[in-house]
C-alpha cells in the first residue's frame, strides 16, 4: 500500500475510527502522533481548514474528517466492506453516522463542565442514547448486522471512551438496566479482535482525562 | 417495479432545494409535497420520526432523510446519467469534505446574519465572510467547485444563494463587493436549468425571512 500515513493523537477516538477501518481491511500504514498544543507544520499544511486530526495521507494526498476518510478507505479498498451494498441500506447507515456526529457533541459538556451545564449535557446524552437504543440498534448484534460496519465504528466513542468519561466525572450514564441493547453492543464491540487490539490504554486515558478536566475547569474560573 | 418518488419539503429550505436540483439533474419525476413546519403532517412524522425535518425523499414507500444523504442516494440509484459526485475516490473525498464544510459552517453563520442584531450580528457577519472567502479560495479559477462541470459541492452551496438578498438587507452587507467570485459562480450555476427552475426568487425568500425575523429581533 504505497504510502498510507495517519496523523492522530493517542487519546482521541477519531483517529481510532480510521485505525479500525484500516486494520479490518488489512491495510498497512504509518502512524504519526501529533501534539495538538503544538501542531506540526505538516498537519497545518494537510488540514489548513480545520487544523485537526485525524488526517489520512495517501501517496502524499491528504484526506480529512474521520468519517469522510472511512468512505475513502471503503472505496479504495473494497475488501471487508464497511457499508452495505444496497443504496437504501447505505443511506440508513449514513443517517446514523450523521445522527451521531450531530448529537455526540452534547457529551463533551458532561466532561468539560459542572453544575447546570453538566446537568443539561447529561439530559441530552440520555436522550441521544435512548434514540439509538430504541431505533438504531434494534435486535441486531451490531449496527452493521452480524459483523461491525461503519456505524459501529462511528459509535466506537461510546464503547470505550464514554466509560472513561463516566469515571472521571463520577456520573453513570450508560447503565445496563436502562440501555440493555447498547450495553450488550458495547461488550460485543470491544470483543471484536481488531477493536480489542486497537484501543488506547484505559488507565493511561483515565489519568490523561482526569488531568485535562482539572485544567479545563480551572481555566474557566 | 414502479418508481414512485415523493419529496416532503418546504419551499424556502436550502436543504430541500438541494434534493430538488438533484432530482432535476437526473430527470426524475416525483410528487412534491409542501410541509407546514408549524403543523407537520403525520406522513412526515412517520417517515422521519427521529429528526422530524424536511427534506425527506420517499422512494417506493421507503424514506431517506438528510439532504446530502438523499443526494448521494439519488446519485447511486439513478447512476445512468448526470453523475453528481466524481468517480475518483480521492475527488469524491474532497467533494464530501467541502459539502460537509458548507453544512457545518454556512447555515450557522448565515442564521446569525439575518436573525440577530448588534454585537452578535457583527460577529456573525464576520464569520459569514470568512467562510465565503475560504470557499472562494477553494473555487479558485475553476468554473465550478466540481471543476469543469456542476457537481456535489456546487449543489450543496448554490441553494444558499436564494437567501442572499435576505442576508444583504438584514445584515446590511454587500456580498458581491466582498466575494465577487462567489457571485460570478452563482450566476454561472443559475444558467443551468435544474438550478434556475429550483431556486425560488430571492425577493420571495426575503419576504419570508422578514416574517421570520420578527420572531427573533424586535425593532
Amino acid at each position: 500500500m504505497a504510502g498510507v500515513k495517519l496523523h492522530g493523537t493517542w487519546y482521541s477516538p477519531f483517529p481510532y475510527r480510521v485505525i479500525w477501518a484500516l486494520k479490518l481491511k488489512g491495510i498497512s500504514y504509518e502512524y504519526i502522533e501529533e501534539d495538538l498544543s503544538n501542531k506540526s507544520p505538516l498537519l497545518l499544511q494537510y488540514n489548513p481548514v480545520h487544523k485537526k486530526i485525524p488526517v489520512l495521507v495517501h501517496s502524499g494526498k491528504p484526506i480529512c474528517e474521520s468519517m469522510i476518510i472511512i468512505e475513502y478507505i471503503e472505496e479504495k479498498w473494497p475488501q471487508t466492506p464497511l457499508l452495505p451494498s444496497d443504496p437504501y441500506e447505505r443511506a440508513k447507515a449514513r443517517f446514523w453516522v450523521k445522527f451521531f456526529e450531530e448529537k455526540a457533541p452534547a457529551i463533551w459538556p458532561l466532561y468539560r463542565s459542572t453544575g447546570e451545564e453538566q446537568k443539561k449535557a447529561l439530559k441530552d446524552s440520555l436522550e441521544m442514547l435512548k434514540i439509538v437504543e430504541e431505533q438504531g440498534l434494534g435486535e441486531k448484534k451490531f449496527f452493521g448486522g452480524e459483523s461491525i460496519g461503519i456505524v459501529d465504528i462511528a459509535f466506537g466513542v461510546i464503547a470505550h471512551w464514554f466509560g472513561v468519561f463516566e469515571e472521571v466525572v463520577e456520573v453513570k450514564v450508560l447503565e445496563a438496566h436502562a440501555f440493555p441493547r447498547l450495553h450488550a453492543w458495547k461488550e460485543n464491540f470491544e470483543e471484536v479482535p481488531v477493536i480489542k487490539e486497537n484501543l488506547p490504554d484505559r488507565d493511561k486515558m483515565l489519568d490523561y482525562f482526569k488531568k485535562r478536566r482539572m485544567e479545563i475547569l480551572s481555566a474557566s474560573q | 417495479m414502479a418508481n414512485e418518488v415523493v419529496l416532503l419539503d418546504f419551499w424556502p429550505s436550502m436543504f430541500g432545494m438541494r434534493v430538488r436540483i438533484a432530482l432535476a439533474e437526473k430527470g426524475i419525476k416525483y410528487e412534491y409535497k409542501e410541509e407546514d413546519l408549524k403543523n407537520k403532517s403525520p406522513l412526515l412524522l412517520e417517515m422521519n420520526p427521529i429528526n422530524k425535518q424536511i427534506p425527506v425523499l420517499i422512494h417506493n414507500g421507503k424514506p431517506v432523510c438528510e439532504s446530502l444523504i438523499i443526494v448521494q442516494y439519488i446519485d447511486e440509484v439513478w447512476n445512468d446519467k448526470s453523475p453528481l459526485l466524481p468517480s475518483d475516490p480521492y475527488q469524491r473525498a474532497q467533494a464530501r469534505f467541502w459539502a460537509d464544510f458548507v453544512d457545518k459552517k454556512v447555515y450557522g453563520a448565515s442564521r446569525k446574519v439575518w436573525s440577530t442584531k448588534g454585537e452578535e450580528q457583527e460577529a456573525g457577519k464576520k464569520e459569514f465572510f470568512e467562510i465565503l472567502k475560504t470557499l472562494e479560495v477553494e473555487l479558485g479559477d475553476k468554473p465550478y467547485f466540481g471543476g469543469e462541470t456542476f457537481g456535489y459541492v456546487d449543489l450543496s452551496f448554490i441553494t444558499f444563494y436564494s437567501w442572499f438578498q435576505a442576508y444583504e438587507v438584514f445584515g446590511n452587507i454587500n456580498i458581491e463587493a466582498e466575494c465577487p467570485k462567489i457571485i460570478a459562480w452563482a450566476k454561472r450555476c443559475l444558467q443551468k436549468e435544474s438550478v434556475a427552475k429550483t431556486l425560488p426568487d430571492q425577493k420571495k425568500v426575503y419576504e419570508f425571512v422578514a416574517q421570520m425575523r420578527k420572531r427573533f429581533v424586535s425593532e
Side-chain angles (χ1 to χ4, degrees), chain A residues 13-14 104-113 121 125 157 161 165 209 213:
Chain A
F14 305 107
I107 298 174
W108 308 125
L110 194 65
Y111 162 75
R112 296 179 77 93
S113 62
S125 300
V157 181
W161 282 258
F165 291 163
F209 282 114
R213 178 167 155 84

Side-chain angles (χ1 to χ4, degrees), chain A residues 62 65 75 90 94 98, chain B residues 66 76 90 92 96 104:
Chain A
E65 295 298 302
E75 288 174 6
R90 288 160 80 84
R94 287 178 176 135
K98 183 154 206 268
Chain B
E66 295 295 320
E76 287 177 10
Y90 184 73
R92 288 164 76 85
R96 286 186 171 120
K104 281 190 168 99

Side-chain angles (χ1 to χ4, degrees), chain B residues 104-116 120-121 123-132 167:
Chain B
K104 281 190 168 99
K105 303 281 191 182
V106 178
Y107 182 74
S110 64
R111 201 183 158 82
K112 286 183 206 159
V113 172
W114 67 260
S115 72
T116 66
E120 201 184 344
Q121 192 187 41
K125 282 154 67 170
K126 184 164 174 278
E127 201 188 325
F128 181 71
F129 279 124
E130 270 168 22
I131 291 160
L132 255 57
Y167 301 155

